[in-house]
Amino acid sequence: MVVFVDNDFNSIFKEAEQINVYRNGEKYQYICKEKQFEVILNGFEKMIEGSRLMPAFGVSLNAETLEAMKNGIWVEFVFDGVCRFNDMAYEKLLVEVNKGHSGFNISRFNSSEGYHGRCFYLDLNGDMTEYYSILEEI
């Protein structure tokens, strides 16, 4: 089990062991240390630099989340075991990437319920346009 006690939410993404990118329902997997993994992670870290963790505007419902992932671009950070931040457990974190959006929900996955429950929310110091372009090209 991995437990984060650091209060810097943005630092948890670099603990991912794998990153999955979904483009219109098609899944692309990247393992830690691969060049594409580093490009995706570095782009994400640049995008969230200076962001603010806010109360989430919604919750995830697994069936609706899986259906939504069939369209657009999504990035999923996969961790080695159960992690916690602010007493909220997760094994994966999922983000829908939309051009021009200046904030987003981060859905939490756990093996017993899937993508279900309270989300995290990041308010960006910019928008997702540049990161969207990175994920389109990778």
Side-chain angles (χ1 to χ4, degrees):
M1 178 185 291
V2 179
V3 178
F4 295 104
V5 292
D6 189 350
N7 287 331
D8 181 16
F9 181 75
N10 293 357
S11 70
I12 66 176
F13 297 95
K14 57 181 85 171
E15 300 298 326
E17 295 291 321
Q18 178 178 321
I19 297 175
N20 300 322
V21 175
Y22 297 85
R23 285 194 298 259
N24 295 318
E26 192 155 340
K27 180 179 179 180
Y28 302 87
Q29 293 180 306
Y30 305 99
I31 304 300
C32 187
K33 306 283 191 238
E34 286 182 337
K35 181 181 178 183
Q36 297 94 332
F37 178 98
E38 297 300 328
V39 169
I40 295 165
L41 180 61
N42 290 340
F44 190 81
E45 288 180 325
K46 182 179 177 186
M47 177 183 69
I48 65 172
E49 191 173 290
S51 66
R52 293 157 299 283
L53 185 63
M54 307 286 286
F57 296 129
V59 297
S60 288
L61 301 173
N62 191 58
E64 290 181 18
T65 301
L66 295 177
E67 186 63 30
M69 290 171 66
K70 294 178 182 176
N71 298 298
I73 297 179
W74 298 73
V75 62
E76 179 181 60
F77 297 88
V78 181
F79 300 89
D80 184 24
V82 178
C83 304
R84 291 190 178 280
F85 187 85
N86 283 354
D87 293 325
M88 293 172 37
Y90 58 90
E91 297 165 45
K92 302 178 191 178
L93 296 174
L94 178 70
V95 172
E96 182 178 14
V97 181
N98 291 295
K99 280 185 188 176
H101 282 206
S102 60
F104 53 88
N105 281 315
I106 303 169
S107 299
R108 297 176 306 115
F109 177 93
N110 67 65
S111 55
S112 63
E113 296 180 310
Y115 282 107
H116 184 81
R118 288 177 41 208
C119 297
F120 298 112
Y121 185 85
L122 279 182
D123 179 40
L124 299 175
N125 192 28
D127 67 38
M128 300 179 98
T129 302
E130 187 176 326
Y131 192 58
Y132 185 94
S133 296
I134 291 170
L135 295 177
E136 272 187 320
E137 296 172 11
I138 199 119

